[in-house]
Amino acid sequence: DTAVSQTPKYLVTQMGNDKSIKCEQNLGHDTMYWYKQDSKKFLKIMFSYNNKELIINETVPNRFSPKSPDKAHLNLHINSLELGDSAVYFCASSPRTEYGYTFGSGTRLTVV
Amino acid sequence: KNEVEQSPQNLTAQEGEFITINCSYSVGISALHWLQQHPGGGIVSLFMLSSGKKKHGRLIATINIQEKHSSLHITASHPRDSAVYICAVRVGGQKLVFGQGTRLTINP
């Protein structure tokens, strides 16, 4: 069983479209994250939820909206996609005690 | 200037060599993580450190809190160690700030 699973793995879409990326973890972790890795492979935090509550919201355009229906799921919805949104998006989770992070395999988003 | 700086950015070595990757940070942290990103893109957490030293197999990670510096060492390197190694520091509770990564290539 995959610990942190993201779908889809690849997403190619046109500018202006709305898309969602789903993330689920079966580790019982309290905290989930979305990270963005740009073309230079640099990772940056976007959002973090602790038990369905938003605790980190970095400077991210309003077109990005996270949704956490329960503590095992954290989805990322992106409206009006732009070329600059092309990146790899990683979901991750960690236990409350922050022993370590478990990452999903990433979603490569390409906006054309 | 990034809050987390790694050196070198790229490192190529021969199989069997001892490898050192360095990480310096400029902010107060509660922990430091070393991550490994394989060519396929997946990210694996290697170590979490708040003090001292940790060892796992051929990998050793150290941290000096006073000097705000950490090192990742690989002994008896192998081509399968080829990956990008990323240092990340935990600030403000839950937030990770990442270094730019070190691309390691081990030639047979």
Side-chain angles (χ1 to χ4, degrees):
Chain A
D1 269 349
T2 305
V4 179
S5 61
Q6 290 179 232
T7 54
K9 193 169 173 64
Y10 299 96
L11 184 53
V12 181
T13 187
Q14 290 188 322
M15 282 176 57
N17 283 348
D18 303 338
K19 290 292 178 187
S20 291
I21 306 172
K22 295 187 176 182
C23 180
E24 176 181 2
Q25 55 98 0
N26 62 6
L27 299 166
H29 289 172
D30 286 320
T31 310
M32 295 185 73
Y33 312 82
W34 278 110
Y35 293 94
K36 180 180 179 181
Q37 187 172 43
D38 61 24
S39 57
K40 294 184 179 177
K41 303 290 189 183
F42 194 65
L43 278 155
K44 288 192 80 171
I45 180 87
M46 298 175 69
F47 301 103
S48 175
Y49 271 74
N50 188 6
N51 204 7
K52 300 197 296 176
E53 182 184 346
L54 181 65
I55 56 171
I56 295 174
N57 185 353
E58 288 296 292
T59 308
V60 176
N62 290 338
R63 301 181 293 102
F64 290 78
S65 54
K67 293 277 191 304
S68 182
D70 55 60
K71 78 172 196 177
H73 295 84
L74 180 61
N75 304 322
L76 183 65
H77 189 76
I78 315 170
N79 289 328
S80 302
L81 278 154
E82 301 177 358
L83 291 176
D85 299 331
S86 295
V88 181
Y89 293 85
F90 284 95
C91 177
S93 70
S94 67
R96 194 181 189 88
T97 54
E98 292 268 20
Y99 182 76
Y101 293 78
T102 303
F103 286 82
S105 56
T107 296
R108 182 176 294 277
L109 171 65
T110 304
V111 183
V112 296
Chain B
K1 188 170 157 54
N2 197 28
E3 293 165 308
V4 182
E5 293 285 343
Q6 289 184 233
S7 63
Q9 289 192 31
N10 293 285
L11 178 56
T12 300
Q14 290 298 120
E15 183 173 356
E17 287 189 36
F18 181 81
I19 302 299
T20 297
I21 300 170
N22 296 301
C23 175
S24 296
Y25 53 92
S26 57
V27 293
I29 70 170
S30 53
L32 182 143
H33 296 256
W34 281 102
L35 310 170
Q36 180 191 55
Q37 185 168 27
H38 273 284
I43 299 174
V44 175
S45 181
L46 296 175
F47 294 105
M48 186 190 76
L49 296 161
S50 52
S51 65
K53 176 179 171 178
K54 285 191 177 179
K55 185 174 189 289
H56 186 257
R58 296 180 293 106
L59 272 59
I60 303 165
T62 64
I63 187 168
N64 185 318
I65 297 292
Q66 286 73 31
E67 294 187 4
K68 295 188 174 179
H69 181 269
S70 175
S71 293
L72 176 69
H73 305 285
I74 305 175
T75 61
S77 59
H78 190 276
R80 65 174 174 265
D81 298 325
S82 297
V84 176
Y85 292 84
I86 302 168
C87 171
V89 298
R90 197 166 81 230
V91 300
Q94 301 278 7
K95 178 180 168 182
L96 278 183
V97 177
F98 296 85
Q100 76 274 37
T102 294
R103 183 175 299 277
L104 174 65
T105 304
I106 304 295
N107 293 320

Short mmCIF file of all heavy atoms in Angstrom, two decimals, chain B residues 39-102:
data_model
loop_
_atom_site.label_atom_id
_atom_site.label_comp_id
_atom_site.label_asym_id
_atom_site.label_seq_id
_atom_site.Cartn_x
_atom_site.Cartn_y
_atom_site.Cartn_z
N PRO B 39 16.45 10.10 -9.65
CA PRO B 39 16.20 10.58 -11.02
C PRO B 39 14.74 10.43 -11.44
O PRO B 39 14.24 11.22 -12.22
CB PRO B 39 17.13 9.70 -11.87
CG PRO B 39 18.25 9.35 -10.94
CD PRO B 39 17.62 9.21 -9.59
N GLY B 40 14.05 9.45 -10.91
CA GLY B 40 12.64 9.28 -11.23
C GLY B 40 11.75 10.34 -10.61
O GLY B 40 10.58 10.46 -10.97
N GLY B 41 12.29 11.11 -9.66
CA GLY B 41 11.55 12.23 -9.10
C GLY B 41 11.06 12.04 -7.68
O GLY B 41 10.75 13.02 -7.01
N GLY B 42 10.98 10.80 -7.21
CA GLY B 42 10.46 10.57 -5.86
C GLY B 42 11.40 11.11 -4.80
O GLY B 42 12.62 11.15 -4.97
N ILE B 43 10.82 11.58 -3.70
CA ILE B 43 11.61 12.16 -2.59
C ILE B 43 11.49 11.25 -1.39
O ILE B 43 10.39 10.86 -0.99
CB ILE B 43 11.10 13.57 -2.24
CG1 ILE B 43 11.23 14.50 -3.44
CG2 ILE B 43 11.87 14.13 -1.04
CD1 ILE B 43 10.63 15.88 -3.21
N VAL B 44 12.65 10.95 -0.79
CA VAL B 44 12.70 10.09 0.38
C VAL B 44 13.37 10.87 1.51
O VAL B 44 14.38 11.54 1.30
CB VAL B 44 13.50 8.81 0.08
CG1 VAL B 44 13.67 7.97 1.34
CG2 VAL B 44 12.81 7.99 -1.00
N SER B 45 12.81 10.78 2.69
CA SER B 45 13.39 11.43 3.85
C SER B 45 14.50 10.52 4.39
O SER B 45 14.26 9.36 4.69
CB SER B 45 12.31 11.65 4.90
OG SER B 45 12.83 12.29 6.02
N LEU B 46 15.73 11.06 4.50
CA LEU B 46 16.85 10.26 4.98
C LEU B 46 17.06 10.43 6.48
O LEU B 46 17.20 9.45 7.22
CB LEU B 46 18.13 10.69 4.25
CG LEU B 46 18.18 10.47 2.74
CD1 LEU B 46 19.48 11.06 2.18
CD2 LEU B 46 18.07 9.00 2.40
N PHE B 47 17.14 11.68 6.92
CA PHE B 47 17.43 11.96 8.32
C PHE B 47 16.64 13.17 8.79
O PHE B 47 16.37 14.07 8.00
CB PHE B 47 18.92 12.30 8.55
CG PHE B 47 19.87 11.18 8.30
CD1 PHE B 47 20.64 11.16 7.14
CD2 PHE B 47 20.03 10.16 9.22
CE1 PHE B 47 21.54 10.13 6.91
CE2 PHE B 47 20.94 9.13 9.00
CZ PHE B 47 21.68 9.12 7.83
N MET B 48 16.33 13.18 10.08
CA MET B 48 15.90 14.39 10.76
C MET B 48 16.83 14.57 11.95
O MET B 48 17.03 13.64 12.74
CB MET B 48 14.47 14.29 11.25
CG MET B 48 13.96 15.60 11.83
SD MET B 48 12.39 15.45 12.68
CE MET B 48 12.88 14.70 14.21
N LEU B 49 17.43 15.76 12.06
CA LEU B 49 18.41 16.04 13.11
C LEU B 49 18.02 17.29 13.87
O LEU B 49 17.62 18.28 13.28
CB LEU B 49 19.80 16.31 12.49
CG LEU B 49 20.51 15.23 11.73
CD1 LEU B 49 21.57 15.85 10.85
CD2 LEU B 49 21.17 14.28 12.71
N SER B 50 18.20 17.25 15.18
CA SER B 50 18.13 18.50 15.93
C SER B 50 19.43 18.74 16.69
O SER B 50 19.68 19.85 17.17
CB SER B 50 16.95 18.50 16.90
OG SER B 50 16.97 17.34 17.69
N SER B 51 20.27 17.71 16.79
CA SER B 51 21.59 17.87 17.40
C SER B 51 22.42 16.64 17.06
O SER B 51 21.88 15.57 16.72
CB SER B 51 21.48 18.02 18.91
OG SER B 51 20.98 16.83 19.49
N GLY B 52 23.75 16.80 17.15
CA GLY B 52 24.64 15.65 17.09
C GLY B 52 24.76 14.99 15.73
O GLY B 52 24.99 15.65 14.71
N LYS B 53 24.60 13.69 15.73
CA LYS B 53 24.96 12.87 14.58
C LYS B 53 24.01 11.70 14.48
O LYS B 53 23.57 11.16 15.49
CB LYS B 53 26.40 12.38 14.81
CG LYS B 53 26.98 11.44 13.81
CD LYS B 53 28.43 11.12 14.24
CE LYS B 53 29.03 10.02 13.42
NZ LYS B 53 30.44 9.75 13.83
N LYS B 54 23.69 11.31 13.23
CA LYS B 54 22.90 10.09 13.03
C LYS B 54 23.53 9.29 11.91
O LYS B 54 24.11 9.84 10.98
CB LYS B 54 21.44 10.44 12.67
CG LYS B 54 20.62 10.92 13.85
CD LYS B 54 19.15 11.00 13.50
CE LYS B 54 18.35 11.41 14.73
NZ LYS B 54 16.91 11.53 14.43
N LYS B 55 23.38 7.96 12.00
CA LYS B 55 23.97 7.07 11.00
C LYS B 55 22.92 6.07 10.56
O LYS B 55 22.18 5.52 11.37
CB LYS B 55 25.17 6.36 11.62
CG LYS B 55 25.97 5.48 10.66
CD LYS B 55 27.22 4.95 11.35
CE LYS B 55 28.15 4.24 10.36
NZ LYS B 55 27.64 2.96 9.90
N HIS B 56 22.89 5.85 9.24
CA HIS B 56 22.00 4.81 8.71
C HIS B 56 22.73 4.15 7.55
O HIS B 56 22.87 4.72 6.48
CB HIS B 56 20.67 5.43 8.25
CG HIS B 56 19.68 4.39 7.82
ND1 HIS B 56 19.40 4.13 6.50
CD2 HIS B 56 18.92 3.54 8.54
CE1 HIS B 56 18.52 3.17 6.43
NE2 HIS B 56 18.19 2.78 7.65
N GLY B 57 23.22 2.95 7.80
CA GLY B 57 23.97 2.25 6.76
C GLY B 57 25.24 3.02 6.42
O GLY B 57 26.04 3.33 7.30
N ARG B 58 25.41 3.36 5.15
CA ARG B 58 26.60 4.10 4.72
C ARG B 58 26.43 5.61 4.81
O ARG B 58 27.32 6.37 4.43
CB ARG B 58 26.94 3.70 3.28
CG ARG B 58 27.33 2.23 3.12
CD ARG B 58 27.66 1.89 1.66
NE ARG B 58 26.47 1.98 0.82
CZ ARG B 58 26.24 2.96 -0.05
NH1 ARG B 58 27.10 3.94 -0.20
NH2 ARG B 58 25.14 2.95 -0.79
N LEU B 59 25.29 6.05 5.27
CA LEU B 59 25.01 7.48 5.36
C LEU B 59 25.17 7.98 6.80
O LEU B 59 24.72 7.32 7.75
CB LEU B 59 23.58 7.77 4.90
CG LEU B 59 23.36 8.04 3.40
CD1 LEU B 59 23.80 6.88 2.55
CD2 LEU B 59 21.91 8.38 3.14
N ILE B 60 25.83 9.13 6.92
CA ILE B 60 26.01 9.77 8.23
C ILE B 60 25.62 11.24 8.08
O ILE B 60 26.04 11.89 7.13
CB ILE B 60 27.49 9.69 8.68
CG1 ILE B 60 27.96 8.23 8.72
CG2 ILE B 60 27.66 10.35 10.05
CD1 ILE B 60 29.47 8.09 8.81
N ALA B 61 24.84 11.73 9.01
CA ALA B 61 24.48 13.15 9.01
C ALA B 61 24.89 13.76 10.34
O ALA B 61 24.69 13.16 11.39
CB ALA B 61 22.98 13.32 8.78
N THR B 62 25.46 14.96 10.26
CA THR B 62 25.87 15.68 11.48
C THR B 62 25.30 17.09 11.43
O THR B 62 25.01 17.62 10.36
CB THR B 62 27.39 15.77 11.58
OG1 THR B 62 27.89 16.55 10.48
CG2 THR B 62 28.04 14.39 11.54
N ILE B 63 25.13 17.66 12.59
CA ILE B 63 24.68 19.04 12.66
C ILE B 63 25.40 19.76 13.80
O ILE B 63 25.64 19.17 14.85
CB ILE B 63 23.14 19.12 12.84
CG1 ILE B 63 22.65 20.57 12.74
CG2 ILE B 63 22.70 18.51 14.17
CD1 ILE B 63 21.15 20.72 12.62
N ASN B 64 25.77 21.02 13.52
CA ASN B 64 26.36 21.88 14.54
C ASN B 64 25.44 23.08 14.67
O ASN B 64 25.42 23.97 13.81
CB ASN B 64 27.77 22.32 14.12
CG ASN B 64 28.46 23.12 15.19
OD1 ASN B 64 27.86 23.98 15.84
ND2 ASN B 64 29.74 22.86 15.40
N ILE B 65 24.65 23.09 15.74
CA ILE B 65 23.62 24.12 15.91
C ILE B 65 24.25 25.50 16.07
O ILE B 65 23.75 26.49 15.52
CB ILE B 65 22.72 23.79 17.12
CG1 ILE B 65 21.96 22.48 16.89
CG2 ILE B 65 21.75 24.93 17.40
CD1 ILE B 65 20.94 22.53 15.81
N GLN B 66 25.36 25.58 16.80
CA GLN B 66 26.01 26.88 17.04
C GLN B 66 26.51 27.49 15.74
O GLN B 66 26.39 28.69 15.51
CB GLN B 66 27.17 26.73 18.02
CG GLN B 66 26.76 26.51 19.47
CD GLN B 66 26.21 25.13 19.72
OE1 GLN B 66 26.60 24.17 19.06
NE2 GLN B 66 25.31 25.03 20.68
N GLU B 67 27.06 26.62 14.87
CA GLU B 67 27.61 27.13 13.62
C GLU B 67 26.57 27.15 12.50
O GLU B 67 26.86 27.57 11.38
CB GLU B 67 28.82 26.28 13.20
CG GLU B 67 29.99 26.42 14.15
CD GLU B 67 31.23 25.71 13.65
OE1 GLU B 67 31.22 25.17 12.53
OE2 GLU B 67 32.22 25.70 14.40
N LYS B 68 25.38 26.65 12.78
CA LYS B 68 24.28 26.59 11.78
C LYS B 68 24.77 25.87 10.52
O LYS B 68 24.67 26.39 9.39
CB LYS B 68 23.77 27.99 11.46
CG LYS B 68 23.11 28.67 12.66
CD LYS B 68 22.43 29.97 12.30
CE LYS B 68 21.67 30.48 13.52
NZ LYS B 68 21.01 31.77 13.25
N HIS B 69 25.24 24.66 10.73
CA HIS B 69 25.83 23.91 9.64
C HIS B 69 25.56 22.43 9.82
O HIS B 69 25.57 21.91 10.94
CB HIS B 69 27.35 24.16 9.60
CG HIS B 69 28.04 23.45 8.49
ND1 HIS B 69 28.58 22.19 8.64
CD2 HIS B 69 28.26 23.81 7.20
CE1 HIS B 69 29.11 21.82 7.48
NE2 HIS B 69 28.93 22.77 6.61
N SER B 70 25.31 21.76 8.71
CA SER B 70 25.11 20.31 8.72
C SER B 70 25.86 19.70 7.55
O SER B 70 26.07 20.35 6.52
CB SER B 70 23.62 19.97 8.62
OG SER B 70 23.42 18.57 8.52
N SER B 71 26.28 18.47 7.74
CA SER B 71 26.93 17.74 6.65
C SER B 71 26.27 16.37 6.48
O SER B 71 25.83 15.76 7.47
CB SER B 71 28.42 17.54 6.93
OG SER B 71 29.11 18.76 6.90
N LEU B 72 26.23 15.93 5.24
CA LEU B 72 25.78 14.57 4.92
C LEU B 72 26.98 13.86 4.30
O LEU B 72 27.58 14.35 3.35
CB LEU B 72 24.62 14.59 3.94
CG LEU B 72 24.12 13.22 3.47
CD1 LEU B 72 23.45 12.47 4.61
CD2 LEU B 72 23.14 13.38 2.30
N HIS B 73 27.34 12.73 4.88
CA HIS B 73 28.46 11.95 4.37
C HIS B 73 27.96 10.61 3.83
O HIS B 73 27.04 10.01 4.40
CB HIS B 73 29.48 11.66 5.49
CG HIS B 73 29.97 12.88 6.19
ND1 HIS B 73 30.87 13.75 5.64
CD2 HIS B 73 29.67 13.37 7.43
CE1 HIS B 73 31.12 14.73 6.50
NE2 HIS B 73 30.40 14.52 7.59
N ILE B 74 28.59 10.18 2.76
CA ILE B 74 28.32 8.85 2.22
C ILE B 74 29.65 8.11 2.15
O ILE B 74 30.59 8.58 1.49
CB ILE B 74 27.69 8.90 0.81
CG1 ILE B 74 26.43 9.78 0.82
CG2 ILE B 74 27.35 7.49 0.32
CD1 ILE B 74 25.81 9.99 -0.56
N THR B 75 29.74 6.99 2.82
CA THR B 75 30.96 6.20 2.77
C THR B 75 30.82 5.12 1.68
O THR B 75 29.71 4.68 1.38
CB THR B 75 31.24 5.50 4.12
OG1 THR B 75 30.13 4.63 4.42
CG2 THR B 75 31.36 6.52 5.24
N ALA B 76 31.94 4.75 1.09
CA ALA B 76 31.97 3.70 0.06
C ALA B 76 30.86 3.93 -0.98
O ALA B 76 29.98 3.08 -1.18
CB ALA B 76 31.83 2.32 0.70
N SER B 77 30.88 5.10 -1.60
CA SER B 77 29.81 5.49 -2.51
C SER B 77 29.64 4.49 -3.65
O SER B 77 30.59 3.82 -4.09
CB SER B 77 30.07 6.89 -3.06
OG SER B 77 31.30 6.92 -3.75
N HIS B 78 28.40 4.43 -4.13
CA HIS B 78 28.01 3.47 -5.16
C HIS B 78 27.17 4.20 -6.20
O HIS B 78 26.48 5.17 -5.86
CB HIS B 78 27.20 2.35 -4.49
CG HIS B 78 26.94 1.18 -5.37
ND1 HIS B 78 25.88 1.15 -6.26
CD2 HIS B 78 27.60 0.01 -5.52
CE1 HIS B 78 25.90 0.01 -6.92
NE2 HIS B 78 26.93 -0.70 -6.48
N PRO B 79 27.21 3.75 -7.46
CA PRO B 79 26.38 4.42 -8.48
C PRO B 79 24.92 4.56 -8.09
O PRO B 79 24.27 5.55 -8.49
CB PRO B 79 26.55 3.51 -9.70
CG PRO B 79 27.94 2.98 -9.56
CD PRO B 79 28.11 2.76 -8.07
N ARG B 80 24.38 3.65 -7.30
CA ARG B 80 22.98 3.79 -6.91
C ARG B 80 22.74 4.95 -5.93
O ARG B 80 21.59 5.31 -5.66
CB ARG B 80 22.44 2.49 -6.29
CG ARG B 80 23.09 2.10 -5.00
CD ARG B 80 22.41 0.88 -4.38
NE ARG B 80 23.13 0.44 -3.20
CZ ARG B 80 24.06 -0.52 -3.21
NH1 ARG B 80 24.34 -1.14 -4.35
NH2 ARG B 80 24.69 -0.87 -2.12
N ASP B 81 23.83 5.54 -5.42
CA ASP B 81 23.70 6.74 -4.57
C ASP B 81 23.47 7.99 -5.41
O ASP B 81 23.21 9.07 -4.86
CB ASP B 81 24.95 6.94 -3.71
CG ASP B 81 25.19 5.79 -2.74
OD1 ASP B 81 24.20 5.23 -2.24
OD2 ASP B 81 26.37 5.46 -2.50
N SER B 82 23.60 7.88 -6.72
CA SER B 82 23.41 9.03 -7.60
C SER B 82 21.99 9.55 -7.47
O SER B 82 21.02 8.81 -7.69
CB SER B 82 23.69 8.65 -9.05
OG SER B 82 25.05 8.25 -9.22
N ALA B 83 21.88 10.81 -7.08
CA ALA B 83 20.58 11.42 -6.81
C ALA B 83 20.82 12.89 -6.50
O ALA B 83 21.95 13.35 -6.46
CB ALA B 83 19.89 10.74 -5.63
N VAL B 84 19.73 13.60 -6.26
CA VAL B 84 19.84 14.96 -5.73
C VAL B 84 19.58 14.89 -4.23
O VAL B 84 18.58 14.31 -3.79
CB VAL B 84 18.83 15.91 -6.40
CG1 VAL B 84 18.89 17.30 -5.75
CG2 VAL B 84 19.12 16.02 -7.89
N TYR B 85 20.48 15.46 -3.46
CA TYR B 85 20.36 15.46 -2.00
C TYR B 85 19.97 16.87 -1.57
O TYR B 85 20.60 17.86 -1.95
CB TYR B 85 21.66 15.01 -1.34
CG TYR B 85 21.92 13.55 -1.61
CD1 TYR B 85 22.54 13.15 -2.79
CD2 TYR B 85 21.50 12.57 -0.71
CE1 TYR B 85 22.73 11.80 -3.07
CE2 TYR B 85 21.69 11.23 -0.98
CZ TYR B 85 22.30 10.85 -2.16
OH TYR B 85 22.49 9.52 -2.44
N ILE B 86 18.91 16.94 -0.79
CA ILE B 86 18.31 18.22 -0.43
C ILE B 86 18.33 18.39 1.07
O ILE B 86 17.91 17.49 1.82
CB ILE B 86 16.86 18.31 -0.94
CG1 ILE B 86 16.79 18.11 -2.45
CG2 ILE B 86 16.23 19.65 -0.56
CD1 ILE B 86 15.38 17.90 -2.99
N CYS B 87 18.83 19.52 1.52
CA CYS B 87 18.80 19.90 2.92
C CYS B 87 17.57 20.78 3.13
O CYS B 87 17.27 21.65 2.31
CB CYS B 87 20.08 20.67 3.24
SG CYS B 87 20.13 21.43 4.86
N ALA B 88 16.85 20.55 4.20
CA ALA B 88 15.68 21.37 4.51
C ALA B 88 15.64 21.64 6.00
O ALA B 88 15.92 20.74 6.80
CB ALA B 88 14.40 20.67 4.07
N VAL B 89 15.30 22.87 6.38
CA VAL B 89 15.24 23.21 7.80
C VAL B 89 13.79 23.50 8.18
O VAL B 89 13.02 24.04 7.39
CB VAL B 89 16.15 24.41 8.15
CG1 VAL B 89 17.60 24.06 7.86
CG2 VAL B 89 15.74 25.66 7.39
N ARG B 90 13.46 23.11 9.38
CA ARG B 90 12.10 23.34 9.87
C ARG B 90 12.09 24.61 10.70
O ARG B 90 12.82 24.73 11.69
CB ARG B 90 11.61 22.17 10.69
CG ARG B 90 10.09 22.17 10.87
CD ARG B 90 9.60 20.86 11.39
NE ARG B 90 9.77 20.76 12.83
CZ ARG B 90 10.34 19.72 13.42
NH1 ARG B 90 10.80 18.71 12.72
NH2 ARG B 90 10.44 19.69 14.73
N VAL B 91 11.25 25.55 10.27
CA VAL B 91 11.14 26.84 10.95
C VAL B 91 9.68 27.06 11.31
O VAL B 91 8.78 26.54 10.66
CB VAL B 91 11.66 28.00 10.07
CG1 VAL B 91 13.13 27.79 9.72
CG2 VAL B 91 10.85 28.15 8.80
N GLY B 92 9.44 27.82 12.35
CA GLY B 92 8.07 28.20 12.69
C GLY B 92 7.14 27.04 12.89
O GLY B 92 5.96 27.11 12.53
N GLY B 93 7.62 25.95 13.42
CA GLY B 93 6.72 24.83 13.71
C GLY B 93 6.67 23.78 12.62
O GLY B 93 7.30 22.74 12.70
N GLN B 94 5.89 24.07 11.58
CA GLN B 94 5.64 23.03 10.59
C GLN B 94 6.26 23.31 9.23
O GLN B 94 6.19 22.48 8.34
CB GLN B 94 4.12 22.87 10.40
CG GLN B 94 3.36 22.52 11.65
CD GLN B 94 3.41 21.03 11.94
OE1 GLN B 94 4.13 20.30 11.27
NE2 GLN B 94 2.68 20.59 12.94
N LYS B 95 6.82 24.47 9.03
CA LYS B 95 7.25 24.88 7.69
C LYS B 95 8.66 24.41 7.39
O LYS B 95 9.57 24.57 8.21
CB LYS B 95 7.18 26.40 7.61
CG LYS B 95 7.63 26.98 6.28
CD LYS B 95 7.51 28.49 6.34
CE LYS B 95 8.21 29.14 5.17
NZ LYS B 95 8.16 30.60 5.24
N LEU B 96 8.86 23.80 6.22
CA LEU B 96 10.19 23.42 5.75
C LEU B 96 10.67 24.44 4.73
O LEU B 96 9.93 24.82 3.83
CB LEU B 96 10.15 22.05 5.08
CG LEU B 96 10.21 20.78 5.92
CD1 LEU B 96 10.24 19.56 5.03
CD2 LEU B 96 11.39 20.79 6.87
N VAL B 97 11.94 24.86 4.90
CA VAL B 97 12.60 25.71 3.91
C VAL B 97 13.74 24.89 3.32
O VAL B 97 14.56 24.34 4.06
CB VAL B 97 13.13 27.01 4.55
CG1 VAL B 97 13.88 27.84 3.51
CG2 VAL B 97 11.99 27.81 5.15
N PHE B 98 13.80 24.84 2.00
CA PHE B 98 14.69 23.92 1.33
C PHE B 98 15.93 24.61 0.78
O PHE B 98 15.88 25.77 0.35
CB PHE B 98 13.97 23.26 0.14
CG PHE B 98 12.81 22.40 0.55
CD1 PHE B 98 11.56 22.95 0.76
CD2 PHE B 98 12.96 21.03 0.73
CE1 PHE B 98 10.47 22.18 1.14
CE2 PHE B 98 11.89 20.24 1.11
CZ PHE B 98 10.65 20.81 1.32
N GLY B 99 17.04 23.87 0.75
CA GLY B 99 18.20 24.26 -0.04
C GLY B 99 17.94 23.94 -1.50
O GLY B 99 16.93 23.33 -1.86
N GLN B 100 18.88 24.35 -2.33
CA GLN B 100 18.69 24.20 -3.76
C GLN B 100 19.05 22.80 -4.25
O GLN B 100 18.83 22.46 -5.41
CB GLN B 100 19.52 25.25 -4.52
CG GLN B 100 21.01 24.97 -4.59
CD GLN B 100 21.77 25.48 -3.37
OE1 GLN B 100 21.31 25.44 -2.24
NE2 GLN B 100 22.98 25.96 -3.62
N GLY B 101 19.59 21.98 -3.36
CA GLY B 101 19.91 20.61 -3.73
C GLY B 101 21.34 20.46 -4.23
O GLY B 101 21.94 21.40 -4.77
N THR B 102 21.89 19.27 -4.05
CA THR B 102 23.21 18.90 -4.57
C THR B 102 23.02 17.68 -5.46
O THR B 102 22.54 16.64 -4.99
CB THR B 102 24.18 18.57 -3.43
OG1 THR B 102 24.43 19.73 -2.65
CG2 THR B 102 25.50 18.02 -3.98
#
